Amino acid sequence: MVDKSSFGYKLRCLRKFRGYTQAELADMLAISTTTLARYEKNETVPDCEVFTRMIKEFNRSPQDFLFERKPELKDIYKGPFKDSYIPPKEE
């Protein structure tokens, strides 16, 4: 089962939402594809320099990557929260 609040899961969702392959994003971040894959699998985390480039590339706050938070309405159907939204049951 995927931990949907994990850094790697959020990174992978953002990458896929933008339509990037691992190779494309790795090139943008000036890292190897292997390193990016390890981030997405939560085997390691980026250093501050790479993390800053991620924040800029995705135009997100550091908190979006690091902390679990309730999705805002604008985030429900996109990005790393699209799979975790459960609509209320209709009565």
Side-chain angles (χ1 to χ4, degrees), residues 38-76:
R38 292 184 69 213
Y39 295 159
E40 290 186 358
K41 293 177 187 175
N42 292 309
E43 292 176 0
T44 188
V45 293
D47 61 23
C48 291
E49 187 177 318
V50 174
F51 185 61
T52 300
R53 290 194 298 260
M54 285 178 184
I55 291 167
K56 289 178 182 177
E57 178 60 41
F58 290 115
N59 194 28
R60 304 297 274 205
S61 72
Q63 292 82 2
D64 288 338
F65 284 98
L66 300 175
F67 302 107
E68 185 175 354
R69 67 179 178 90
K70 286 188 160 190
E72 296 176 19
L73 188 57
K74 65 182 178 168
D75 294 328
I76 288 174

Side-chain angles (χ1 to χ4, degrees), residues 7-40:
F7 175 85
Y9 176 80
K10 291 175 183 179
L11 176 60
R12 184 173 51 108
C13 285
L14 286 167
R15 175 180 61 78
K16 288 184 174 189
F17 179 72
R18 290 283 179 96
Y20 299 145
T21 64
Q22 282 186 332
E24 290 169 333
L25 182 57
D27 285 344
M28 289 179 223
L29 299 174
I31 59 175
S32 71
T33 305
T34 303
T35 299
L36 180 61
R38 292 184 69 213
Y39 295 159
E40 290 186 358

